[in-house]
């Protein structure tokens, strides 16, 4: 089943310490966000990509897209000060029914099999998100004092992509805007409407490039992916 992917790419490099948009940092010979976009560029099920970017970075991003042969970008919209605002701009740029994904530009190691399962589950349930089960012991400790240990078997570490029927995501975003509600991810906007969100097991390698340590791990993962492609 086909889908369109929305990618908010208007962030900054604060936690990376780069002093500029971390997506321009390189993994191997390519910027981080190009590795991400190529996953969707090479997926036959992806009908198009919608990017949300900072207006002042648009010329540079367009030049990079051309340089690396990214042809599926159907629209580039102006991103907002918050991720939710950037995604809302992407939603407004897309008017077709069907399945849409929202994916972090700084997660270049998403697997196509996970994407396919997300699309399938969103088609059935209306919304589906990628995640991995918590591996460590989890404590509830407000104010730094442990109140209880939480059963980690029930906990998921949420990732992207997050997949939705377009009408579901559009309504959730509109309701959040009307109520001046700011969520931490798109699924949260759907949850507050009382709609089901299906969990799809992702992979632990689908990390977000947020810190310098992530970049080091990313280089290791990139080498592994490149070796797999040679086999």
């Amino acid at each position: 089943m086909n889908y369109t992917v929305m990618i908010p790419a208007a962030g900054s490099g604060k936690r990376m310490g780069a002093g500029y948009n971390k997506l321009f940092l390189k993994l191997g010979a390519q910027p981080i966000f190009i590795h991400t976009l190529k996953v969707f560029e090479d997926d036959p099920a992806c009908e198009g990509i919608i990017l949300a970017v900072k207006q002042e970075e648009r010329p540079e991003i367009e030049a990079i897209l051309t340089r690396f042969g990214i042809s599926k970008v159907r629209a580039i919209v102006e991103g907002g000060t918050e991720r939710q605002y950037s995604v809302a701009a992407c939603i407004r740029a897309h008017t077709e029914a069907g399945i849409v994904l929202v994916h972090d530009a700084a997660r270049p190691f998403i697997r196509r099999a996970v994407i396919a399962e997300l699309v399938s589950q969103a088609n059935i349930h209306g919304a589906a998100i990628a995640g991995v089960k918590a591996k460590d012991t989890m404590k509830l400790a407000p104010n730094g004092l442990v109140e209880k240990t939480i059963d980690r078997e029930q906990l998921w570490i949420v990732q992207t992509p997050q997949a939705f029927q377009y009408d579901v995501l559009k309504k959730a975003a509109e309701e959040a805007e009307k109520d001046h509600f700011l969520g931490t991810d798109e699924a949260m906007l759907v949850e507050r409407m009382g709609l089901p969100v299906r969990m799809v097991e992702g992979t632990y390698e689908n990390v977000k490039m947020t810190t310098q340590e992530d970049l080091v791990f990313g280089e290791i993962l990139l080498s592994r992916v490149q070796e797999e492609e040679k086999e």
Side-chain angles (χ1 to χ4, degrees):
M1 186 173 184
N2 293 342
Y3 65 88
T4 297
V5 62
M6 302 174 180
I7 300 182
S12 65
K14 286 183 180 179
R15 280 184 286 178
M16 186 68 75
Y20 55 90
N21 195 331
K22 65 187 176 187
L23 302 180
F24 294 134
L25 292 171
K26 289 187 177 181
L27 275 178
Q30 299 176 354
I32 292 171
F33 80 103
I34 291 297
H35 288 285
T36 303
L37 292 181
K38 281 194 170 182
V39 174
F40 300 102
E41 180 77 19
D42 296 340
D43 185 356
C46 179
E47 293 184 323
I49 301 166
I50 301 175
L51 279 177
V53 306
K54 292 179 180 177
Q55 197 63 25
E56 63 270 23
E57 293 177 348
R58 179 168 181 157
E60 183 175 2
I61 286 175
E62 288 178 332
I64 293 173
L65 295 176
T66 300
R67 186 187 319 155
F68 289 99
I70 304 298
S71 62
K72 284 189 177 180
V73 175
R74 301 288 181 257
I76 299 178
V77 299
E78 185 173 357
T81 54
E82 299 286 347
R83 169 199 173 87
Q84 186 171 313
Y85 306 150
S86 293
V87 174
C90 291
I91 293 170
R92 289 191 291 270
H94 182 73
T95 58
E96 301 174 15
I99 301 299
V100 293
L101 270 59
V102 180
H103 186 59
D104 297 326
R107 287 189 193 270
F109 298 108
I110 181 61
R111 295 286 183 163
R112 194 181 295 177
V114 176
I115 293 172
E117 183 62 15
L118 284 164
V119 171
S120 175
Q121 292 298 320
N123 186 50
I124 296 169
H125 300 283
I129 61 177
V132 290
K133 292 182 179 180
K135 295 189 289 185
D136 299 324
T137 298
M138 308 298 290
K139 305 282 188 180
L140 178 65
N143 302 315
L145 293 175
V146 174
E147 285 191 358
K148 64 178 178 177
T149 300
I150 301 174
D151 182 6
R152 66 186 176 195
E153 293 299 318
Q154 300 180 42
L155 298 180
W156 291 75
I157 301 168
V158 175
Q159 304 173 337
T160 65
Q162 300 193 350
F164 308 90
Q165 295 173 13
Y166 173 70
D167 289 342
V168 170
L169 180 60
K170 183 173 183 289
K171 183 177 180 181
E174 289 173 346
E175 288 292 319
E177 183 176 3
K178 182 183 71 174
D179 297 339
H180 304 288
F181 177 83
L182 192 62
T184 55
D185 68 354
E186 290 65 52
M188 190 175 184
L189 308 186
V190 174
E191 291 162 29
R192 69 188 293 268
M193 294 197 305
L195 298 177
V197 177
R198 185 74 174 178
M199 285 297 316
V200 169
E201 190 156 10
T203 65
Y204 291 98
E205 67 187 25
N206 184 26
V207 294
K208 188 176 183 180
M209 299 291 104
T210 302
T211 67
Q212 290 291 338
E213 290 77 14
D214 294 329
L215 276 180
V216 173
F217 187 42
E219 292 288 352
I220 296 170
L221 288 173
L222 180 61
S223 296
R224 183 190 300 172
V225 170
Q226 291 172 338
E227 286 300 317
E228 289 176 358
E229 290 174 347
K230 292 177 184 178
E231 295 176 357

